[in-house]
Structure formats: C-alpha cells, structure tokens
Amino acid sequence: MRQATVYIDSDALQYNLNRVKQLAPHSKIVSMVKANAYGHGVKDCLAALDATDAFGVASLEEALEIRQLGYIQPITLIEGVFSEDEMQQVIEHKLECIVHHNQQVEWLIQQQQAYNALGLKVWVKLNSGMNRLGFKVTEIIDVIQRLKAEGFTCVLAMHFANADADHPLNEQQKQQFLHVKQACDPILASCCNSAAIYKYPELHFDFVRPGIMLYGASPFADRNVHELDLKPVMTLSAEIIALNQIQQGEYVGYGSSYTASCTSNIAIVSIGYGDGYPRAYVKPNFVAIDQQLVAVVGRVSMDMIAIDVTHINTDIGTPVELWGKHRLVDDVAAANGTISYELLCRLSNRPIRTLI
Ligand SMILES: Cc1ncc(COP(=O)(O)O)c(C=O)c1O
C-alpha cells in the first residue's frame, strides 16, 4: 500500500492544552477546532481536548459535527450565524453566537427568551482596526447595552491583527478593547489567540482562544515550538519507493529544474502536492530521515518528491518525515513562503490518518 500517512499524537495535543492552562491559569479555554481542527481531524482531536472548557468553530456545520460526536461543551460560532434560519439550530444544539453586524443582533433578539433560558452567552465582536468583522468602537457600546437590557450575558470579543509581531496597531487595538470593556463593565472579555496568550498575559481575561499552539506549531516567525515548550501534534510521513544513482549533469523531475553537481543518490518518496505537500518552495527545503535533514531536489510532483540521499544510508521502504518533530511544519512553511496554518489545513484526504 502507498504510504503517505498523517499521525496525530493525542498526548502532544493534551500537553499543549496543559501549556495553555499554565500560561492562562485564570481563564477558560475555548479551543479552536475550526477547519477540521486545523486539518488534524476534528474527531480525533476532540477526545484529546476533552479537558477544554469550550470549542470554537467557524460555521454551524462544524458545530453540529461536534454535537453529533457527543460533546456537550459550549461551542462558539466565531462568525455567528449566516442567516436567520440558522438561529433555530443554534437553540436546538445549544450553541453560542458571535454577533458582528446589526442583522445578527436582530435575529438573536428574536430568540431572546429561548437563548437566555439555555444560559448561553453572546459574544459581541469589536472591530478595533483589523477591519474584518465587528462593530466599530463608536457603535459597540450601544449594541452591548441593548443586549444587556434584553437579558443577554455578553462577552466582549476582539482579535489582534498582529499579535505575532510588534506593530503600532497592537496598542490601538488594546486601548480600544480596554475602553469598551470599562464602559460596559461588568462584562466578560476575550481577546487572546495563541500569540497573544504568550505576549499579553495581562489581557487573558475570562476566555482565551488558542488555535495553532494546541497543534504544536508556532504563532511567531522568530520563536520555534521548542522555545515555546509546545509539542508538534501532526507528523506527515511517507516512504522511499525508488532509488536512482545519477551522474554529474543529469536532471531530476519535471522541468529538469535540478541538475546533479556530482554523482548523487536520489530517493523518490511517496508524497506530493496531491497529498497536500507544498510545491512552491522558494528556499531550500528539507525532510527528515532518522532525525537527519535531507534536501528536497527538483520539482514536487502530484504523488512524489525527490530527495538527495547521497550521504546517508537508505533503502526502499525507509520512512521519511515531511514534517513533525524533527522537521518542523513551521520550517517547511517558511521554505514555501507560507505559514504552518495553511499547510496543516490544506492536506488532502489522501494520506492515511492514524491516531497515536
Ligand atoms: C476569532 C479567532 N480567535 C482565535 C483564533 C485562533 O488563532 P491562533 O490559531 O492564531 O491561535 C482564530 C484563528 O483564526 C480566530 O479567528
């Protein structure tokens, strides 16, 4: 059988959840499991994340999948509902909405009795400068006061555009959030994703919303997961299916973009962009074999890549780590001009999935 396998390490996931607890001991944890748990497979991840306080997803469908799997924790729809009809399901399945525009507020108020009777919180999104979703600082206080008057329990929610970096917008976002929080006091509050959990301990408030750190990838370009004391959850693995010795001047792969500079041993590995392995590497890219880094050479094909194994012992069947504990997904992403989030989320369903 063709070996392209995604291993999910549930101990690592639990370890990372505990790291969130250590970093934010006084906050409840809303574990972000949207996009199929960042590509890790929501079914496998939910069990390992059972100790979380709540889950965060991007759509009703994602929330219903969690309910169908039997999990009863609170679930926040981080974009809210997309139509009035969805409010019925929100009530039926006990889901918590974000409201980020006025129509959502009206839909919610129509369900006020049922929603409040279930003890659900409503998350009210502040647009403090990211300009994606939310009410402007000049509007949100009225929205919150109206919701409070209708008996809703509100959570003031905000998302940093640059929590992973030093950017002047950070201070503006923080000040706007604190201003609204104070003006609406008492109110529950939540503004920290993974990067902000590390960077702004003073802003953890009632709920933190970790995503990428749970999966053992770094939210920062300049700090790796070892420095952050996180463990990679996913290993993408394949194996060597052919070995070719080639002479100086011979080519490898489509476009003949790689030319051997000396006699070389080239191994062909059973993974390609059809599995979700990125094709666009812009800097030298590597895989790991027995903890050693080995260079990818030539173009990535749909089902195969070539690696230069001239200096190591390998054979047909040797396992190759595309990313995992020895070749970090963050480094593969950097070599491909992208971020780990994208690589993890866009794996195809072709690799076999195994929970360890
Ligand atoms: C509203 C919101 N909160 C939290 C997160 C988690 O972010 P991260 O994966 O960077 O921790 C996201 C991710 O996109 C988000 O959209």
Side-chain angles (χ1 to χ4, degrees):
M1 191 165 69
R2 179 175 183 268
Q3 292 297 328
T5 309
V6 172
Y7 295 99
I8 300 298
D9 181 344
S10 55
D11 287 349
L13 199 50
Q14 276 170 7
Y15 183 89
N16 299 334
L17 179 63
N18 276 328
R19 282 291 290 140
V20 181
K21 282 187 205 259
Q22 281 170 3
L23 292 164
H26 307 298
S27 307
K28 290 201 164 162
I29 301 175
V30 182
S31 293
M32 302 306 288
V33 293
K34 61 192 174 129
N36 198 24
Y38 287 44
H40 289 63
V42 76
K43 187 164 177 251
D44 289 340
C45 292
L46 291 175
L49 291 172
D50 200 34
T52 191
D53 298 291
F55 296 113
V57 295
S59 69
L60 182 63
E61 291 73 20
E62 290 181 341
L64 295 188
E65 192 180 353
I66 297 176
R67 287 287 182 255
Q68 273 148 20
L69 289 164
Y71 293 88
I72 57 166
Q73 285 98 330
I75 301 177
T76 307
L77 300 173
I78 64 159
E79 294 176 13
V81 290
F82 297 88
S83 68
E84 190 173 4
D85 295 348
E86 290 190 349
M87 281 309 297
Q88 292 302 333
Q89 304 240 47
V90 161
I91 302 292
E92 193 178 325
H93 297 281
K94 248 188 129 177
L95 309 174
E96 296 194 344
C97 297
I98 268 194
V99 286
H100 61 84
H101 63 68
N102 283 320
Q103 224 176 7
Q104 289 177 325
V105 174
E106 300 307 327
W107 296 336
L108 184 70
I109 286 178
Q110 277 168 28
Q111 299 295 332
Q112 177 251 359
Q113 272 196 340
Y115 196 90
N116 287 336
L118 291 169
L120 298 168
K121 302 179 290 300
V122 52
W123 298 62
V124 190
K125 180 95 172 207
L126 170 67
N127 173 7
S128 54
M130 190 171 188
N131 290 319
R132 222 170 45 164
L133 300 181
F135 297 97
K136 291 252 161 89
V137 66
T138 47
E139 311 162 323
I140 195 167
I141 296 172
D142 287 347
V143 173
I144 291 172
Q145 275 164 358
R146 183 169 171 216
L147 288 167
K148 278 181 156 186
E150 296 279 355
F152 288 97
T153 303
C154 297
V155 183
L156 173 64
M158 192 268 275
H159 196 50
F160 282 103
N162 305 281
D164 56 330
D166 288 325
H167 190 285
L169 187 62
N170 285 341
E171 193 52 27
Q172 175 191 311
Q173 290 199 271
K174 187 175 156 182
Q175 290 313 326
Q176 286 197 5
F177 188 76
L178 294 175
H179 165 72
V180 176
K181 185 174 177 316
Q182 195 184 30
C184 298
D185 191 53
I187 187 164
L188 299 166
S190 173
C191 64
C192 288
N193 63 352
S194 300
I197 288 170
Y198 280 95
K199 196 162 156 180
Y200 296 124
E202 74 280 15
L203 299 182
H204 286 165
F205 298 122
D206 301 284
F207 303 93
V208 291
R209 308 188 307 265
I212 198 72
M213 67 177 290
L214 290 174
Y215 305 101
S218 173
F220 302 105
D222 57 354
R223 290 169 78 188
N224 73 28
V225 285
H226 304 306
E227 292 164 299
L228 298 173
D229 191 5
L230 297 171
K231 296 191 175 174
V233 171
M234 182 191 290
T235 298
L236 178 63
S237 164
E239 63 182 35
I240 292 177
I241 56 167
L243 285 162
N244 302 306
Q245 187 170 77
I246 61 169
Q247 304 305 317
Q248 181 184 9
E250 284 198 81
Y251 303 115
V252 177
Y254 282 122
S256 302
S257 63
Y258 177 79
T259 315
S261 58
C262 57
T263 302
S264 306
N265 294 333
I266 302 296
I268 305 300
V269 183
S270 58
I271 195 96
Y273 61 80
D275 302 281
Y277 190 74
R279 182 181 177 276
Y281 63 98
V282 287
K283 292 190 213 148
N285 191 17
F286 299 91
V287 299
I289 295 181
D290 274 343
Q291 307 185 25
Q292 280 188 66
L293 292 185
V294 177
V296 177
V297 295
R299 287 200 188 149
V300 170
S301 316
M302 190 183 292
D303 319 308
M304 287 172 266
I305 61 169
I307 57 175
D308 183 348
V309 293
T310 307
H311 302 292
I312 58 167
N313 282 329
T314 53
D315 211 339
I316 306 270
T318 297
V320 175
E321 179 186 295
L322 288 314
W323 62 67
K325 294 182 174 50
H326 307 295
R327 174 63 175 155
L328 297 176
V329 66
D330 294 307
D331 295 337
V332 181
N336 283 275
T338 184
I339 51 174
S340 61
Y341 300 67
E342 186 188 7
L343 295 189
L344 295 168
C345 285
R346 74 171 197 197
L347 275 178
S348 77
N349 58 11
R350 193 155 74 156
I352 305 154
R353 287 178 176 262
T354 305
L355 184 67
I356 49 171

